[in-house]
Amino acid sequence: MPVRADQLPEPAVPSPPPGLVTVGRFDQRPGYSVSRPGGADSWLFVWTTGGEGRLAQGAAETRASAGDLVVLGPDLPHHYAVAPGARHWAFWWVHCQARPAWTEWLRPYALGDRLYAVTPVADGVRGRLESAFRRMLADARWTGAGAPPEREPETESEGKPEAELDGEPEDHRVAVAHGTAARELTLCSLESVVLLATATARGEPDRSGLDVRIRQAEALIAADPGAPHTVESLATGVSLSASRFAHLFTQQLGLSPMRALLAARLLHSARLLEATDLPVERVAAASGFSSPFHFNRVFRQRYGAPPGAYRAGLRH
């Protein structure tokens, strides 16, 4: 019977303080184990490159081998260790606050209790993910003087077969992004990791049965959420009557076209608040909201804070 993460013994290993962006690479041997009965204040992203690990959070758990991205959300007891029977566990990890878009991309891979297993990521993008993590480590170490390095160099032990790793020292590299530029560069690289992994993992829900016209409508919404879309205009764009389009869209996606449009607009507005200094009123208009009061209300319902406070919280 699996051990629940909230039943694991002390001592607890502290997590990085909230607000920091911390990135590292470990190659651990059997016996390595981290328990946090109180969970962490930040999200933890773990990309396995070799060996195997076991991760548990709340009542959910998973094993991770090369090519697996596992994500643990905050505030729940968790535990991770070299998997029983594995000779080692090599992995990249990042502690940070997740951007709102990431939870939308990760949702199809939820195992429960904010544990997400994106597995296995397609072979064709693993090199890009590895490069992204090396770039994160280099960017996190950048002090702002001169140009940041292109990427972190490889160590001698990386890339060797497991049979050649016996007796070699553990590979530990950790960096904390202190400056604003270093943090943003690191988060941008992590965002590319999450997007590439969730878009290419073979475990992604099968959408092959989705009507091509509904896919086209989704693309129309995603391409420009702020446009004055209506059920009629979207239906016309995919050559369907409004009633037939609304029925198909709701039947196949589980929400109405206007609910999907609202979700896309809120996500778009959150990204503008994160990445720009546009006034809240302009963010609302650029995201398709004609009334700032309506925007404020629905944004608070979705993200738990009004737009201005949401932006201030991210920057704090």
Side-chain angles (χ1 to χ4, degrees):
M1 180 177 179
V3 179
R4 288 170 55 97
D6 57 357
Q7 296 173 337
L8 292 163
E10 301 281 356
V13 176
S15 64
L20 288 183
V21 178
T22 311
V23 57
R25 185 188 189 278
F26 287 173
D27 193 345
Q28 302 284 10
R29 298 300 183 261
Y32 169 76
S33 177
V34 171
S35 293
R36 296 191 179 100
D41 296 319
S42 56
W43 290 68
L44 174 60
F45 296 78
V46 180
W47 163 252
T48 297
T49 59
E52 190 174 26
R54 173 185 170 272
L55 303 97
Q57 178 154 277
E61 69 172 78
T62 189
R63 293 171 75 105
S65 55
D68 295 343
L69 175 68
V70 177
V71 182
L72 288 76
D75 304 325
L76 284 168
H78 66 230
H79 171 79
Y80 50 92
V82 176
R87 297 177 56 206
H88 78 121
W89 183 26
F91 59 97
W92 288 94
W93 57 268
V94 182
H95 273 282
C96 66
Q97 297 300 324
R99 288 174 169 168
W102 303 355
T103 56
E104 301 292 335
W105 300 337
L106 289 167
R107 183 167 290 118
Y109 305 95
L111 299 181
D113 286 339
R114 296 184 190 170
L115 176 67
Y116 306 86
V118 187
T119 172
V121 173
D123 293 341
V125 301
R126 294 186 189 182
R128 290 186 62 177
L129 268 61
E130 178 73 19
S131 294
F133 277 104
R134 293 188 185 282
R135 193 163 56 249
M136 275 187 253
L137 192 61
D139 287 339
R141 289 173 171 164
W142 183 42
T143 63
E150 287 296 322
R151 52 178 267 172
E152 186 73 11
E154 295 185 14
T155 65
E156 292 183 2
S157 65
E158 288 173 356
K160 288 186 178 182
E162 289 192 25
E164 299 180 19
L165 290 174
D166 289 341
E168 292 194 0
E170 293 175 343
D171 179 14
H172 283 151
R173 285 177 287 166
V174 179
V176 179
H178 288 292
T180 301
R183 286 195 300 270
E184 289 304 311
L185 285 170
T186 304
L187 288 173
C188 285
S189 292
L190 181 56
E191 180 164 291
S192 71
V193 166
V194 178
L195 177 56
L196 281 169
T198 55
T200 62
R202 292 194 292 274
E204 186 174 15
D206 181 15
R207 295 169 62 86
S208 59
L210 201 62
D211 190 294
V212 65
R213 295 164 295 186
I214 302 306
R215 291 185 186 178
Q216 290 171 351
E218 281 189 302
L220 287 172
I221 292 172
D224 189 3
H229 298 298
T230 63
V231 171
E232 290 74 16
S233 68
L234 291 169
T236 300
V238 297
S239 302
L240 285 171
S241 70
S243 58
R244 178 60 176 161
F245 166 71
H247 173 75
L248 271 180
F249 193 102
T250 305
Q251 180 187 58
Q252 298 200 5
L253 297 183
L255 74 170
S256 70
M258 292 299 98
R259 294 291 296 177
L261 178 60
L262 176 61
R265 286 176 171 173
L266 288 171
L267 180 58
H268 182 64
S269 66
R271 300 304 304 280
L272 289 176
L273 290 168
E274 294 167 14
T276 75
D277 292 317
L278 288 172
V280 170
E281 293 77 10
R282 289 189 61 189
V283 169
S287 303
F289 295 95
S290 57
S291 167
F293 300 102
H294 175 241
F295 171 57
N296 189 294
R297 179 173 60 82
V298 294
F299 191 94
R300 181 196 291 267
Q301 289 173 348
R302 175 63 180 84
Y303 292 109
Y310 174 87
R311 172 185 273 167
L314 288 174
R315 297 188 176 180
H316 174 72

